[in-house]
């Protein structure tokens, strides 16, 4: 018996395959899903997903958080970003790069937001002076 697994990101499908089992992590810790699992919905933390395909091949995916939904032997994982690999070492390197990119983008966004706040305060002061 197996599960249908799909990992989806905003711009497409990372993987769609049949699996014997899956491991992921939510705020309470790591958990496993096997065929026949009851309906389940959880928010994932950034984690490494581990799954065994129906053929016995073990695979890994780094997921940047997201949602995991299990219904009738169908597992859907929706995440901002995911990287697929056949070896844990490969997915670890890809996950580190993914997190570093996210940190850099968040830092840029924080800087831009701070600049926007300064500009807004400057404009508000100007409006107050002109009253």
């Amino acid at each position: 018996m197996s599960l249908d697994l799909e990992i989806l990101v905003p711009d497409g499908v990372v993987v769609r395959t049949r699996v014997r089992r899956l491991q992921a992590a939510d705020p309470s810790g790591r958990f496993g899903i096997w065929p026949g699992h009851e309906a389940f919905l959880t928010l994932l933390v950034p984690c490494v997903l581990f799954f065994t395909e129906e053929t016995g091949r073990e695979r890994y995916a780094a997921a940047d958080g997201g949602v995991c939904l299990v219904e009738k032997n169908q597992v859907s994982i929706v995440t901002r970003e995911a990287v697929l690999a056949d070896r844990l070492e490969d997915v670890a390197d890809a996950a580190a790069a993914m997190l570093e990119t996210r940190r850099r983008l968040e830092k840029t966004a924080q800087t831009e937001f701070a600049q926007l706040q300064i500009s807004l305060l400057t404009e508000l002061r100007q409006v107050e002076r002109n009253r």
Side-chain angles (χ1 to χ4, degrees), residues 1-3 17-21 52-57:
M1 193 170 197
S2 60
L3 299 158
T17 188
R18 295 187 57 79
V19 300
R20 294 181 189 169
R21 64 183 175 141
T52 304
E53 292 183 328
E54 198 172 46
T55 61
R57 179 179 176 196

Side-chain angles (χ1 to χ4, degrees), residues 61-77:
D64 188 12
V67 176
C68 176
L69 173 65
V70 180
E71 290 184 301
K72 301 177 185 169
N73 285 324
Q74 169 74 39
V75 181
S76 298
I77 294 175

